[in-house]
Each structure stands twice: as C-alpha cells, then as structure tokens.
Amino acid sequence: MLDLKGYGPALLDGAVVTIELAFLSLALALLLGLVGASAKLSGSRVAVAIATSYTTLIRGVPIWL
Amino acid sequence: MMLLFYYGGQVMVNNLSDVIYNNYGYDFFFQFDPFISGVVTIGLIFGAYMTETFRGAFLAVESGQIEAARAYGFSRFHTFRRIILPQMLRHALPGLGNNWQVLLKTTALVSIIGLTDMVRVAEEAAKAERMPFHFFIPVAFVYLSLTACSELFIRWLDKRANVGVVQGS
C-alpha cells in the first residue's frame, strides 16, 4: 500500500489549499473575463485600449516571471 | 508574473507607505499574503485568457437576437441574463473548460511564492526522504483525478448548454 511516511495529512492540507486556490482564482478570472470582454466589445476607445493592453501584456509574459 | 506581483507588489506597497508617512505622517503597513497574491495573480492571468474566450463567444451570438430583445423592452441586464448568456455559454464552454484545466495545473506554480500547497509539501517530503517519485506520482494522480472530474462536469454542462441545438451529422 501507499506509505506516505507521515506526510499524508500535510499533503491532504496542501490539496485543500490547491483546490481553494483554483476555485477562487476561477471566480476572479471569470469576473475579469466578462468585464474584459464587455470592455473590448463596448466600442469606447478608452475601454478597448485598456482591455487590449491588459490581455496583450498578460498573455505575452511567462506566468512564472 | 507571479514573482513580479508577490515581491514587486510588496516593494511597491512599502515604498508607497514610505511616501505617505513622509508626506502625511500616517503610518501603515501591509503584508502580502501568499495565498491572496496567488489568487490575485492566477485570477489576473486567466482573466486575460477568459477575456478572449468570452469575446469570441459574445461575437458568436447573432446581433439580431440582441436587437430583438431590446425591441421587446428588455433591460440591459435582462438581455444579458436571458438572451446573451444562454447562447454564448454554448460557444464559451469548450474554451472555458480548457482554461480551467490549465488554471488548475498552474496552481502548482504558487509553491514558488512560498504557499504550502500540495506540490510544495511533496517537494519537501521528496527531498527529506530522497524519494521523489514516491511523493510526486500520488500528487500527479490527485491532479489527474481533479481534471478528470471537471472534464465530466464540463461535458454535462456542455450537454445542457446545447439543448435544442440541431447538430449536423
């Protein structure tokens, strides 16, 4: 059987942190995505410029920098 | 982006508090929490990807649908809730599911800013016990089962969102 050498509970706590992190980030990402998409399609020059620079900057830089 | 936000953000807040203290005599201190910075960073990054997904889905909804809703006197919110959202969801779901899986796996990166997530614990255990595979393979299976479950959930959502759509064979 799988013997985790006493690290089992810590790993489980870590898994909970991972899941919480994933769902909270998802909520934030969905919100930002809807706002960003509306901004991009709003036709207002300022909103389009802000949303475009946001997506261009974020998508063009590696995540772990 | 993650290191930039976490370390750069702390430096920025410290400098800002210095400026405020020197000019206004008001002292404040704010410590960046790794969990919150992780959520904000990943949320910001995937917000950008979601923006593109949603933009594509918005554009896929025929403009006539929106005009008709406006003509019937729907408010802006009502138009979005009842007309745009059900129709765009169908187009957004494949990209959204994709982004979600990448997001879930990106959470493994937060261990670099010192958050004790699953990967961090496994890393420490692997170093202490000198058994990397022994700890990383179970972690890999946890990620795999999470993504497999979400795959099933997204398939179910996709089925629901596509109700009434006639598909060509």
Side-chain angles (χ1 to χ4, degrees):
Chain A
M1 245 327 267
L2 189 61
D3 172 26
L4 289 172
K5 315 254 177 207
Y7 285 101
L11 277 172
L12 213 62
D13 286 348
V16 172
V17 171
T18 297
I19 293 168
E20 280 175 358
L21 185 71
F23 277 110
L24 285 174
S25 316
L26 178 71
L28 183 61
L30 285 176
L31 190 75
L32 278 173
L34 277 176
V35 171
S38 322
K40 272 203 170 183
L41 298 171
S42 67
S44 139
R45 266 220 186 124
V46 183
V48 173
I50 291 171
T52 307
S53 39
Y54 164 58
T55 55
T56 313
L57 178 75
I58 299 279
R59 298 200 308 156
V61 177
I63 294 173
W64 40 67
L65 270 185
Chain B
M1 299 305 295
M2 212 167 266
L3 292 171
L4 261 171
F5 274 116
Y6 185 53
Y7 295 111
Q10 185 67 66
V11 170
M12 200 177 77
V13 168
N14 289 350
N15 287 347
L16 191 73
S17 88
D18 279 355
V19 168
I20 289 176
Y21 183 69
N22 289 337
N23 292 335
Y24 305 101
Y26 175 69
D27 197 11
F28 81 101
F29 182 69
F30 178 72
Q31 177 75 49
F32 263 52
D33 178 57
F35 185 78
I36 307 244
S37 356
V39 169
V40 170
T41 316
I42 295 181
L44 266 175
I45 290 165
F46 282 89
Y49 290 95
M50 294 290 185
T51 298
E52 296 298 313
T53 305
F54 283 137
R55 190 171 67 98
F58 265 131
L59 289 174
V61 178
E62 272 183 74
S63 56
Q65 295 275 337
I66 297 156
E67 284 163 17
R70 302 293 290 157
Y72 273 113
F74 278 37
S75 70
R76 280 182 90 93
F77 177 74
H78 216 123
T79 312
F80 175 74
R81 174 70 193 82
R82 291 283 171 203
I83 308 294
I84 303 178
L85 194 65
Q87 292 190 73
M88 71 176 270
L89 201 60
R90 194 166 80 80
H91 298 286
L93 266 176
L96 218 142
N98 225 343
N99 282 345
W100 160 244
Q101 290 209 341
V102 179
L103 187 153
L104 187 61
K105 289 178 289 167
T106 302
T107 57
L109 277 178
V110 293
S111 53
I112 61 171
I113 59 174
L115 188 59
T116 42
D117 73 324
M118 196 167 41
V119 174
R120 175 86 164 190
V121 176
E123 218 168 277
E124 277 167 7
K127 275 178 189 155
E129 302 286 331
R130 297 188 192 165
M131 296 165 97
F133 291 113
H134 190 90
F135 290 102
F136 285 133
I137 289 174
V139 169
F141 272 101
V142 172
Y143 274 107
L144 190 61
S145 55
L146 284 174
T147 51
C149 287
S150 39
E151 180 105 335
L152 288 175
F153 180 63
I154 285 165
R155 203 174 292 171
W156 175 75
L157 272 182
D158 206 42
K159 223 176 184 175
R160 276 189 57 126
N162 277 301
V163 164
V165 177
V166 181
Q167 306 244 330
S169 54

